[in-house]
Amino acid sequence: MNRRLYVPEDSGALAVGADAVARAAEAAGAEVWRTSSRGLFWLEPLVEVDSAEGRVGYGPCTPADVAAIVAGTPDHPKALGPMDTLPYLQRQQRLTFARAGLTRPLSIADYEAHGGGAGLRAARAMAPEAIIQAIVDSGLRGRGGAAFPAGIKWRTVAQAAGELKYVVCNGDEGDSGTYADRMLLEGDPFLLIEGMAIAARAVGASRGYVYVRSEYPRSVEIFGRAIEVARAAGWLDGFDMEVRMGAGSYVCGEETAMLESLEGRRGVVRAKPPLPAIAGLFGRPTVINNLLTLAAVPTILAEGPAYYRDFGVGRSTGTMPFQLAGNLRFPGLVERAFGVTLRELLFDFGGGTASGRPVKAVQVGGPLGSYVPEEHWDVPLDYEAYAVVGAVLGHGGLVVHDDTADMARLARYAMAFCAQESCGKCTPCRIGSTRGVEVIDKLLAGDERQESLLRDLCDTMKHASLCAMGSMTPLPVLSALNHYPEDFRR
Amino acid sequence: MTQDIVSSTIARHQGQEGPLLPILHELQHTLGYIPREALPQIAQALNLSRAEVHGVVSYYHHFRTEKPTAPVLQVCRAESCQAMGADRLWDHAQAHGGCQVEAVYCLGLCASSPAAMLGEEPLGRLTPEKLDEVLG
Ligand SMILES: Cc1cc2nc3c(=O)[nH]c(=O)nc-3n(C[C@H](O)[C@H](O)[C@H](O)COP(=O)(O)O)c2cc1C
Ligand code: SF4
Ligand code: FES
């Protein structure tokens, strides 16, 4: 029999040449299985082979490396040994990403062979209210940024009056430095379908939408195919779903702007109330959850709420897929219980900077997140502890900058990004961000009086904006100014 | 010809909930852009005003109403890629001339920064030299 090689087909692997590696493997006579990615992106293209000690890995590979791997050379220069013994994986607690790198994304058989489907089977034997109670008991909070308890949101929708209800998955993943949603859409789509089917059963919804950004065309395509496979396999039972593409607007990640976009309008934020849970998509009761929130659901149903809740600290229960990005030697996905520190992620996992220079600043939680200085790198990553130091976890992305970074320039970028992406509904954000860019420019030109103006402006944006776009842009701006004041005087 | 494509695209999506964005996406996918002449036809079919349809097309960065003059290269200019040399890459891509360069703010390839996308082909750990190779 031909030797079987596993080669990822995640965009992150394709971006560094995985297709060429797969072609070379086929040319060398191997049987090639295209899998999801482990999320160890510095090793991509990563090739794996079965062995007596489980799968062994080789990476990062070029097409030239492949013939020797197919021939079974044991002391290959790219050999990593059994994947299960790699510290980067051993030190993780993978629940949501348990199948990452193991399965073929569109194979239901692979999915079930690796534990998939158990959550939905359990849910089908439960009353809707019991499912909701399990989510409440697990302590699961929204992974899209605001960390609202998912079970409470579901209960509101379940109790809302209406025949037709929706489940909307927020897969917009607008935050730079994040890629976990993309990995799941491309790599383990049935997990999300399972989570949405469970949510639909719990709240009595008959239709679902997954909103995915246009920057992820592969995700849209693969996920669309996964829905067809799941439908044909009879998984959807009284519930149907569709994937919809965004169109390059960051603010469409905000839940009400997303509803506008799904309805076919400009992605302008709606005033609340009414809450989407009461009057959401097309005016119907709607659950909107981040993709990672919904993807955590099958584990909770399969293993029980206590199992999930026992990961984490305090009110931050369960695990978080942290996404390491920017200037790091070993960037990748690290799923860990809440409570891990930034220092562990940066150095024990990330290996310090790729440039070999000192780390200067880390932006945690996307473009609306704070720059976290070294004095806070030992604060546990949990929602409450981060709030105390004026930072946020957001969607779990962290972007590392070395000592060549100019923090004033990054602060200006944050303001300019807000000005560009503002939906224009409220003045503090629309006008404030444009003014903010001008004020930073004057400050950098040497006019020191502008600093208090900038602070006032941030204060207005923070308190008077309608949504977090305007109210959180001050976080990166002021954290840069407060922790790196020398970069603003030159 | 274009008119037929527009009609059949509308027909394929008209029965969906919220069909406007799916129609615009499919048109751009098929033709490479959304011809301005298509907007009145779409407006009429969906019972919207022309101004509404125009408002939607112009709101979203992704939609373009001009035919691209060369293959589209989206270069990521967001923070993770900035930290890994995206600015240099941006300047290089602009100088190259063999493609239509557009800025994008994250492609979800941040663990392989700096990143770009040529058409729908993801590109990571890019250097100016690698970009030249890809663009030929
Ligand atoms: C400007 C802006 C952008 C947002 N982008 C996203 C996003 O890309 N993905 C996401 O899940 N939530 C995003 N959110 C948060 C959503 O509004 C909403 O809180 C979330 O989808 C709710 O799901 P959750 O409770 O599961 O987190 C954004 C919010 C704002 C204000
Ligand atoms: S804060 Fe900005 S993005 Fe949010 S509603 Fe106001 S203008 Fe729109
Ligand atoms: S920041 Fe460039 S791909 Fe995410």
Side-chain angles (χ1 to χ4, degrees), chain B residues 8-85:
Chain B
S8 62
T9 304
I10 292 172
R12 248 193 307 285
H13 295 283
Q14 212 163 10
Q16 283 179 315
E17 295 180 314
L20 182 52
L21 262 70
I23 290 173
L24 297 173
H25 273 302
E26 192 177 317
L27 277 181
Q28 179 154 316
H29 193 82
T30 315
L31 301 169
Y33 73 116
I34 298 164
R36 283 203 187 79
E37 314 84 76
L39 303 187
Q41 200 182 336
I42 297 170
Q44 196 185 18
L46 301 187
N47 216 354
L48 299 169
S49 72
R50 283 182 198 197
E52 277 173 286
V53 176
H54 175 78
V56 169
V57 173
S58 61
Y59 181 81
Y60 292 97
H61 303 303
H62 175 77
F63 294 133
R64 61 173 87 85
T65 51
E66 304 286 341
K67 202 179 176 78
T69 51
V72 175
L73 179 78
Q74 293 180 290
V75 178
C76 178
R77 306 203 73 186
E79 291 91 335
S80 172
C81 291
Q82 284 179 36
M84 292 300 280

Side-chain angles (χ1 to χ4, degrees), chain A residues 11-12 14-16 41-44 60 164 166 174-179 182 207 209 211 213-217 242 244-249 251-252 261-268 282 324-328 331-332 354 363 367 371 399-401 409-410 413 417 420-421 423, chain B residues 13 15-22 24-26 28-29 46 48 51-63 74 76-85 87 103-117 119-126 130 134:
Chain A
S11 290
L14 300 183
V16 292
F41 286 103
W42 79 97
L43 291 177
E44 295 290 1
L164 180 57
Y166 293 99
D175 287 2
S176 45
T178 64
Y179 45 84
R182 183 189 61 63
R207 291 196 59 81
Y209 287 98
Y211 188 93
R213 58 206 315 255
S214 53
E215 290 85 347
Y216 292 179
E242 226 182 272
R244 285 290 174 92
M245 211 195 237
S249 159
V251 80
C252 282
S261 184
L262 282 168
E263 291 180 15
R265 284 190 291 276
R266 299 156 69 97
V268 175
F282 300 107
L324 278 51
N327 195 333
L328 280 177
Q363 188 176 28
Y371 285 98
V399 174
V400 177
H401 296 267
R409 204 164 159 227
L410 287 165
Y413 171 85
F417 185 72
Q420 173 173 311
E421 295 296 326
C423 83
Chain B
H13 295 283
Q16 283 179 315
E17 295 180 314
L20 182 52
L21 262 70
L24 297 173
H25 273 302
E26 192 177 317
Q28 179 154 316
H29 193 82
L46 301 187
L48 299 169
E52 277 173 286
V53 176
H54 175 78
V56 169
V57 173
S58 61
Y59 181 81
Y60 292 97
H61 303 303
H62 175 77
F63 294 133
Q74 293 180 290
C76 178
R77 306 203 73 186
E79 291 91 335
S80 172
C81 291
Q82 284 179 36
M84 292 300 280
D87 286 348
V104 67
Y105 296 87
C106 194
L107 294 161
L109 301 171
C110 336
S112 319
S113 292
M117 198 156 68
E120 293 192 352
E121 184 192 349
L123 302 168
R125 288 182 215 143
L126 272 176
K130 254 173 88 175
V134 175

Side-chain angles (χ1 to χ4, degrees), chain A residues 94-95 137-138 299-300 302-312 318:
Chain A
R94 287 196 165 177
L95 304 182
D137 292 343
S138 74
T299 306
I300 294 168
E303 306 291 337
Y307 173 82
Y308 192 78
R309 192 191 54 221
D310 289 346
F311 290 89

Side-chain angles (χ1 to χ4, degrees), chain A residues 425-429 457-467 470-471:
Chain A
K425 177 115 166 184
C426 64
T427 11
C429 168
L457 192 64
C458 283
D459 199 56
T460 307
M461 287 175 73
K462 179 174 173 194
H463 293 106
S465 296
L466 185 60
C467 85
S471 68

